[in-house]
Amino acid sequence: MEDIIICRCEEVTLQHITETATKYKCSAREVKLRTRAGMGFCGGRTCRPAIDTALATITGETPGHDIPLKVSPPIRPVSLAVLGGKSNE
Amino acid sequence: MNSNRIIDHPVLGSFEDRPIIRFTFDGKEYEGFQGETIAAALLANGVRTLRVHEESGSPRGIYCNIGHCFECRVTVNNQSNTRACMTEIKEHMRIESGKLQPAPLKSEAGSAHLPRTYAAFAEKHPTRKDGDLDV
């Protein structure tokens, strides 16, 4: 159960998140900065609900918008080449 | 070639004969049908590992398959970090899997005794200052 990988991009397990959150009694954002969960390639889009849920269980933190996990979701990821008009794909 | 594909589907209909596209994945040649994504064509060919995690080397493949999670990213014609699930195969496409990368700054087993902060360093070496040569 504890071996479950929450953040696949950075390979952060539920155990690592649980230990960090318990040891430092920290917010979801601090867990992110300490473990790198949610800082990987997908930008936290995949694991953010899981991190929020884990933190809600461990520290009772309710996910809010005051100090969020810093995700600024775009509608879809766009490369700079597309933005600059050098590519259509 | 159709062994891993759904060739007759009650809703989507039967699998039409479509032009065959040839491409290479890590130097090995594969065939797929026009309109298939890289991920789909490789899965039909039995290839499930599209890359390994850069740091740990554990295998990765299709996860969300909707271009959301970036788990299936590969290098396509020298363009790195291209999502295999969102890119259609083209004739003579050269696809490379994601490889293990060196992690020179990663702390290793046995380095736990090394100071990790300036404060820890100062505590350990009270007489040495930042910038002192290691003699």
Side-chain angles (χ1 to χ4, degrees):
Chain A
M1 179 72 182
E2 295 286 285
D3 295 337
I4 292 172
I5 288 183
I6 297 288
C7 170
R8 295 171 65 86
C9 300
E10 295 288 335
E11 276 204 346
V12 184
T13 57
L14 178 59
Q15 182 180 15
H16 193 185
I17 289 175
T18 307
E19 282 172 5
T20 306
T22 311
K23 183 174 179 187
Y24 298 101
K25 295 177 179 55
C26 51
S27 66
R29 176 155 173 78
E30 194 178 337
V31 164
K32 169 184 168 174
L33 296 175
R34 285 186 182 276
T35 66
R36 290 196 60 82
M39 291 179 88
F41 210 97
C42 81
R45 276 197 303 273
T46 313
C47 65
R48 184 174 69 128
I51 298 173
D52 276 339
T53 308
L55 263 287
T57 312
I58 299 160
T59 66
E61 178 188 352
T62 45
H65 295 290
D66 307 339
I67 309 174
L69 276 171
K70 185 65 192 79
V71 270
S72 319
I75 294 173
R76 63 172 62 127
V78 175
S79 73
L80 290 174
V82 172
L83 267 186
K86 300 209 168 186
S87 165
N88 292 321
E89 293 181 356
Chain B
M1 180 160 171
N2 282 330
S3 58
N4 284 330
R5 290 181 170 87
I6 297 170
I7 53 173
D8 196 16
H9 191 277
V11 175
L12 300 175
S14 63
F15 201 88
E16 302 155 39
D17 277 335
R18 279 186 283 173
I20 288 174
I21 306 284
R22 283 172 194 81
F23 62 97
T24 63
F25 179 67
D26 279 350
K28 201 176 165 210
E29 197 159 300
Y30 293 94
E31 289 181 345
F33 288 107
Q34 192 175 61
E36 282 182 332
T37 62
I38 295 169
L42 284 172
L43 184 64
N45 280 289
V47 179
R48 299 185 62 192
T49 303
L50 299 174
R51 53 179 271 265
V52 296
H53 190 264
E54 301 90 337
E55 198 173 313
S56 72
S58 57
R60 292 289 194 276
I62 298 174
Y63 184 54
C64 77
N65 203 32
I66 52 171
H68 181 89
C69 71
F70 280 85
E71 283 293 288
C72 65
R73 57 188 191 267
V74 289
T75 301
V76 176
N77 294 337
N78 294 325
Q79 178 67 53
S80 59
N81 302 325
T82 307
R83 285 165 292 177
C85 69
M86 299 294 281
T87 312
E88 272 187 31
I89 49 170
K90 296 267 160 26
E91 192 68 34
H92 304 308
M93 209 175 221
R94 272 183 303 109
I95 305 158
E96 299 286 330
S97 63
K99 308 287 192 310
L100 189 67
Q101 301 291 321
L105 300 178
K106 188 185 177 188
S107 54
E108 289 162 14
S111 67
H113 65 286
L114 295 172
R116 302 194 68 82
T117 61
Y118 285 115
F121 180 86
E123 198 176 303
K124 193 168 183 175
H125 304 282
T127 57
R128 283 175 65 179
K129 294 186 183 65
D130 185 24
D132 280 356
L133 290 176
D134 204 354
V135 285

